[in-house]
Amino acid sequence: MIPKSAIVQQFGITGVYTVENNQATFQPITTGRINGSNIEVFSGVSEGDRLVINPSPNLKDNNSDQIN
């Protein structure tokens, strides 16, 4: 489960921005059920991955300027 606020749509693909080495990278995900303010994730991220929870609409791959 991850916060719904972390979900973004990019070119019709559902995903999240993960953070590694202070760089944001778009990661496509497969989602499942919604439970309140969280959403189930079947694939694309693993436990322990750092996510951008409220990504700016201007956030792009390999960008560290917009990471919250």
Side-chain angles (χ1 to χ4, degrees):
M1 299 292 274
I2 64 170
K4 288 190 302 187
S5 62
I7 303 289
V8 294
Q9 293 287 322
Q10 193 173 74
F11 305 108
I13 299 170
T14 301
V16 295
Y17 279 99
T18 59
V19 179
E20 189 172 329
N21 298 323
N22 208 34
Q23 297 290 313
T25 303
F26 181 76
Q27 178 64 45
I29 61 172
T30 303
T31 59
R33 296 178 302 188
I34 296 173
N35 184 4
S37 62
N38 294 319
I39 190 164
E40 184 177 28
V41 176
F42 292 120
S43 66
V45 294
S46 300
E47 187 173 340
D49 285 352
R50 292 179 54 206
L51 305 178
V52 179
I53 301 301
N54 293 304
S56 163
N58 299 323
L59 185 61
K60 303 292 181 220
D61 276 349
N62 301 315
N63 186 338
S64 60
D65 295 339
Q66 301 291 322
I67 297 175
N68 293 333

